[in-house]
Amino acid sequence: MRIGEVASRAGVSVRSVRYYEDQGLLASTRSAGGQRQYTEHEVERVRFLQRLYAAGLSSRTIAELLPCVDSPSQGNSDAALDRMAQERDRLSAHIADLVRTRDALNDLMTAAREYRDTEFA
């Protein structure tokens, strides 16, 4: 199938499919006329990539995880789980930073309200 059909069936843009190929996350064959050709396997691959992106993973991290999918083994599985744990920890730290930032903003808003209430009372 051609790139437009893969994109449509996977629920992504043609640009996304091209990006995945550029990043080495997806492969295609070329027709004699140079057009990309895909199989049903690539449709499923794009859907899987979308799930990884939705989990907050970067293209680089996804590339590090793909050996677990493409060449399943105990070592590849362990490496993928370790990498996902690192990403989870990174996200948890970012969330904690955001919570601290939100709390600081709430404190500023409370102080501003108190000032307003005493100044204009």
Side-chain angles (χ1 to χ4, degrees):
M1 71 186 81
R2 293 175 56 181
I3 193 168
E5 186 176 350
V6 170
S8 176
R9 291 181 58 197
V12 301
S13 67
V14 169
R15 183 176 177 197
S16 292
V17 175
R18 285 190 185 114
Y19 176 78
Y20 299 155
E21 261 195 86
D22 290 343
Q23 297 300 305
L25 306 175
L26 183 69
S28 66
T29 57
R30 297 287 180 150
S31 69
Q35 294 181 329
R36 292 175 170 96
Q37 298 287 316
Y38 301 91
T39 66
E40 184 65 32
H41 172 75
E42 282 79 34
V43 173
E44 293 305 314
R45 175 81 163 213
V46 170
R47 289 178 181 150
F48 178 65
L49 293 172
Q50 285 296 112
R51 289 178 53 209
L52 294 171
Y53 279 110
L57 302 176
S58 68
S59 296
R60 188 166 150 189
T61 301
I62 291 170
E64 292 175 23
L65 298 176
L66 288 178
C68 180
V69 175
D70 297 336
S71 301
S73 70
Q74 182 72 41
N76 285 342
S77 180
D78 290 345
L81 287 167
D82 288 346
R83 187 65 179 102
M84 285 187 282
Q86 291 171 4
E87 284 300 307
R88 183 202 52 218
D89 294 347
R90 182 189 63 79
L91 289 171
S92 294
H94 185 63
I95 290 167
D97 288 343
L98 289 172
V99 168
R100 280 191 293 279
T101 302
R102 183 201 59 205
D103 291 347
L105 181 58
N106 282 337
D107 292 345
L108 287 171
M109 291 172 68
T110 298
R113 282 189 188 101
E114 289 172 359
Y115 177 79
R116 179 200 62 198
D117 293 346
T118 57
E119 190 67 27
F120 302 109

